[in-house]
Amino acid sequence: MRSPLLLTVVLAVCSMTTSCAVSPPPSAALPKPRPAESSVRCPAPAPAPSGREVDPVAAALKDLYDLYGICAGRFADLLDYLDGGQQ
């Protein structure tokens, strides 16, 4: 008759060896650096011409400039946060 204690010990040893085999080796790798293109801020859009009458194309262009400004501001805030600057 087989001993239940021996079976328990063998199962414990087998489970320990399999758990050690699948764990990844410890590493202290540095994070990958950002690409240089992501650290460049967006250029400022050209100023809108001054005029009294606004046509629909100019209004749509102004809306796109506004969206660009919001996006550029968020990107600048992200770069500042990643660089450890203003938080």
Side-chain angles (χ1 to χ4, degrees):
M1 194 167 202
R2 295 198 169 131
S3 168
L5 180 61
L6 180 62
L7 183 60
T8 307
V9 170
V10 169
L11 287 175
V13 168
C14 288
S15 69
M16 286 175 34
T17 57
T18 57
S19 67
C20 292
V22 291
S23 62
S27 64
L30 296 173
K32 293 175 69 175
R34 286 192 313 249
E37 298 87 28
S38 67
S39 297
V40 177
R41 296 187 188 273
C42 302
S50 61
R52 295 187 177 221
E53 293 183 24
V54 178
D55 62 348
V57 174
L61 185 62
K62 197 248 184 233
D63 291 340
L64 287 176
Y65 277 168
D66 291 342
L67 289 175
Y68 175 84
I70 291 169
C71 179
R74 287 181 182 164
F75 186 69
D77 291 342
L78 176 66
L79 288 178
D80 288 340
Y81 175 77
L82 292 175
D83 289 337
Q86 300 172 353
Q87 294 181 1

